[in-house]
Amino acid sequence: MHKQLATFHKQLTEPAPVPRPQSQKQVEVLDIDLTKMIPIDGRSAELSLKFDEIPAAVPIGDKQVFFKVKSDERIFEITIGEKAMNKALDEMTKGPWLAMVKGKLGPATDTGFVIENGQIQVFAKVPKGQQN
């Protein structure tokens, strides 16, 4: 009986082995110089960054503000409209929030990249118990 309990306990605590699907076809590895492949034309590279700290935005004229966001050891330099930034700052003062900046990936800098045509959006954080 003790041996049966040990076996039953082992079945409950160890995950069942997952069967691996049988491959119908072997993948053929081609001997190609990847550096000579011709790229296809893509759309503009867009990037979005999320943050939850109020950025130190500096007016730079022409109704634009400039700020930086650090992510994955890179610093992204962002310029957005002054009106959009003021609206975002108002939303940030209403309670817990998460902001997202998105825009076109611009030129590289020594420490990161420039985000061109930046747009900002602020989302209110809803406590888990109050979600619908």
Side-chain angles (χ1 to χ4, degrees):
M1 173 108 172
H2 181 58
K3 188 174 182 180
Q4 288 176 337
L5 285 175
T7 304
F8 181 68
H9 178 68
K10 185 176 179 181
Q11 289 174 350
L12 290 177
T13 57
E14 290 183 5
V18 177
R20 293 183 177 216
Q22 294 289 331
S23 177
Q24 299 284 335
K25 213 184 210 186
Q26 291 293 331
V27 177
E28 183 180 346
V29 178
L30 302 175
D31 187 21
I32 297 175
D33 182 2
L34 299 178
T35 61
K36 294 183 180 179
M37 289 184 69
I38 299 171
I40 63 169
D41 289 331
R43 297 179 184 220
S44 65
E46 288 203 1
L47 183 71
S48 62
L49 297 168
K50 296 177 185 173
F51 57 94
D52 59 2
E53 294 179 41
I54 296 176
V58 177
I60 57 172
D62 200 26
K63 297 182 181 179
Q64 299 283 308
V65 295
F66 173 84
F67 63 97
K68 296 180 180 183
V69 175
K70 184 176 180 180
S71 177
D72 295 330
E73 300 305 315
R74 288 191 168 70
I75 296 174
F76 295 89
E77 299 178 1
I78 304 157
T79 303
I80 64 172
E82 194 174 85
K83 187 175 180 181
M85 187 64 185
N86 287 335
K87 184 177 175 184
L89 290 171
D90 286 342
E91 290 296 317
M92 291 174 187
T93 61
K94 292 181 180 177
W97 56 272
L98 178 70
M100 179 175 67
V101 170
K102 64 181 181 175
K104 182 180 175 186
L105 183 62
T109 64
D110 291 341
T111 57
F113 293 93
V114 173
I115 304 296
E116 298 175 339
N117 304 323
Q119 299 174 2
I120 189 166
Q121 193 170 6
V122 178
F123 303 93
K125 283 187 180 178
V126 180
K128 290 190 178 194
Q130 297 177 3
Q131 292 178 349
N132 292 338

